[in-house]
Amino acid sequence: MSFDYEVFALGQCVLDRLGVIPRDPGWDNKQEIAELTEQCGGPAATATVALARWGRKAAFAGVVGDDAAGRAIAADLEKEGVMPLLLERAASESQFAFVAIEQGTGRRKIYWRRATGAAPGADELDWPRARVFLTDGLYRAPSIAAAARADLVVVDAGTLRDGTEAMIPHADVFVASQSFAEAFASDGQPTTALRRLRELGVAVAGVTLGEHGYLASFGETWLERPAHAVDAIDTTGCGDLFHAALVEGALASWPWERTFDFAAWVGAQGATAVGGRAGIPDRADYPGGQR
C-alpha cells in the first residue's frame, strides 16, 4: 500500500498566549505577568511539528476561523514543514488559549475556547493515507473515518470526552493523561484505567503521570517508570511531545520499551522552555539513541 504521508494528525490547532507568573494569586486578586509570549499550539498540531523537525513527512487537519489567528496557525505549520489541511470556516474564530505558567515549577493552568466554526464532517475531506494516524479525539466522526486509512492509529487522550473514548476500539496505541485515567477508571486509579484499556483491546496502552513518570502495558509487559529529570520551566507541551515521540518510535520500528523511554525523554525536554514547541529536542540528542 502506498501512503501520502508518514503521519497524518487531526485535532486541535491553537494560538496560545502564555504568561509566566510568580505565583497564582487566587480569585479576586491581581498578579503582574513576568513574561508574555504568543505561540501556536494544540496537541496533535504540536506533535506533527515535532515529527516534521525530525524529518518525517507530516500533515495536519483541523478547523480555523477566517481570522488573524487562523492565518498565523496555517503559516506556522507551513514554516515547520507540515502540510496544513485546514478547514477555514467563514465568519468564525480560531481556537485560542491563555496559559498561566507558575515561575519556578513549570506548573500551568490553561483557559481555552475551541474554534467557533463547525467541526469537520466525516467525509468532508479525502482523508490522506498515512503510515500513522494521530488524533486527540476532539473530532469523533472524522477521526474514525481517517483511522481506517492508516496502518497504525495513535490516540492522545488528554481529556475524557465522547470523541476520545469512542476511539478506543479503533486505537492501536492509546496513551492517556493522568486526569483522563482517573476519570476513566472506576476507582480513580491510573493502574485500573490501564488494565481496562488493555481489556478493551488496546494493544499498546499508557498513562502519563507528569513529574512521576508513566505507566505502559503491551504484550505481557507492564512498565512503571520515573520521569527524566529536568528543571521545568513550562509543562504545556509535554504530553503533546510524548505522543510525537511514540509516533517517531513506531515509524522507526523501535521496540515499545525503548519507544516509551524516548517519549518520556522528549516530553521532559519539552518542559525546558516556555511554550509547547520551543523545547522540542533534536532526536540525535536522545541519550538512549545508540541502544
Side-chain angles (χ1 to χ4, degrees):
M1 180 186 295
S2 63
F3 296 104
D4 304 306
Y5 298 96
E6 290 179 284
V7 57
F8 166 57
L10 170 65
Q12 301 176 61
C13 48
V14 192
L15 188 63
D16 288 333
R17 294 174 177 86
L18 305 112
V20 179
I21 57 175
R23 61 181 179 83
D24 185 344
W27 294 111
D28 297 322
N29 286 301
K30 299 178 181 179
Q31 176 63 62
E32 185 175 0
I33 293 174
E35 179 183 346
L36 183 65
T37 186
E38 185 174 273
Q39 298 179 29
C40 293
T46 293
T48 57
V49 167
L51 287 155
R53 289 189 190 178
W54 297 332
R56 298 299 179 178
K57 187 179 181 182
F60 171 83
V63 173
V64 295
D66 55 349
D67 55 6
R71 292 188 289 274
I73 289 167
D76 192 69
L77 290 171
E78 289 181 351
K79 180 193 73 175
E80 293 285 0
V82 177
M83 175 61 72
L85 305 175
L86 300 175
L87 300 169
E88 182 182 300
R89 304 304 195 198
S92 73
E93 297 179 356
S94 300
Q95 183 171 337
F96 80 89
F98 179 74
V99 185
I101 305 158
E102 186 177 57
Q103 199 169 42
T105 68
R107 298 186 303 178
R108 81 280 192 260
K109 292 182 178 179
I110 300 176
Y111 305 88
W112 68 285
R113 187 207 60 199
R114 70 180 62 197
T116 61
D123 301 317
E124 187 167 359
L125 284 178
D126 182 15
W127 305 113
R129 293 191 179 278
R131 287 180 61 191
V132 179
F133 171 59
L134 171 66
T135 178
D136 55 31
L138 183 65
Y139 302 123
R140 175 177 178 169
S143 290
I144 292 172
R149 298 172 65 84
D151 262 7
L152 187 78
V153 177
V154 179
V155 177
D156 177 351
T159 302
L160 182 61
R161 56 168 68 96
D162 290 344
T164 312
E165 197 166 3
M167 288 303 300
I168 293 174
H170 307 276
D172 301 296
V173 182
F174 192 104
V175 176
S177 67
Q178 184 172 351
S179 60
F180 178 102
E182 290 172 349
F184 183 68
S186 57
D187 60 359
Q189 296 299 313
T191 52
T192 302
L194 193 60
R195 291 190 182 95
R196 185 181 172 201
L197 288 168
R198 292 302 310 278
E199 290 166 359
L200 290 171
V202 176
V204 180
V207 178
T208 56
L209 303 172
E211 64 181 337
H212 301 295
Y214 66 91
L215 305 172
S217 178
F218 45 89
E220 299 300 316
T221 300
W222 180 280
L223 302 177
E224 185 171 354
R225 298 287 168 80
H228 286 255
V230 296
D231 293 325
I233 293 173
D234 173 22
T235 58
T236 298
C238 295
D240 311 342
L241 299 183
F242 192 103
H243 285 82
L246 290 178
V247 173
E248 175 63 23
L251 289 170
S253 299
W254 289 353
W256 282 112
E257 186 166 356
R258 180 184 179 189
T259 295
F260 271 96
D261 183 70
F262 176 61
W265 177 78
V266 170
Q269 305 316 302
T272 61
V274 173
R277 301 177 184 176
I280 296 173
D282 189 325
R283 189 185 116 155
D285 292 337
Y286 171 48
Q290 302 303 316
R291 290 205 298 266

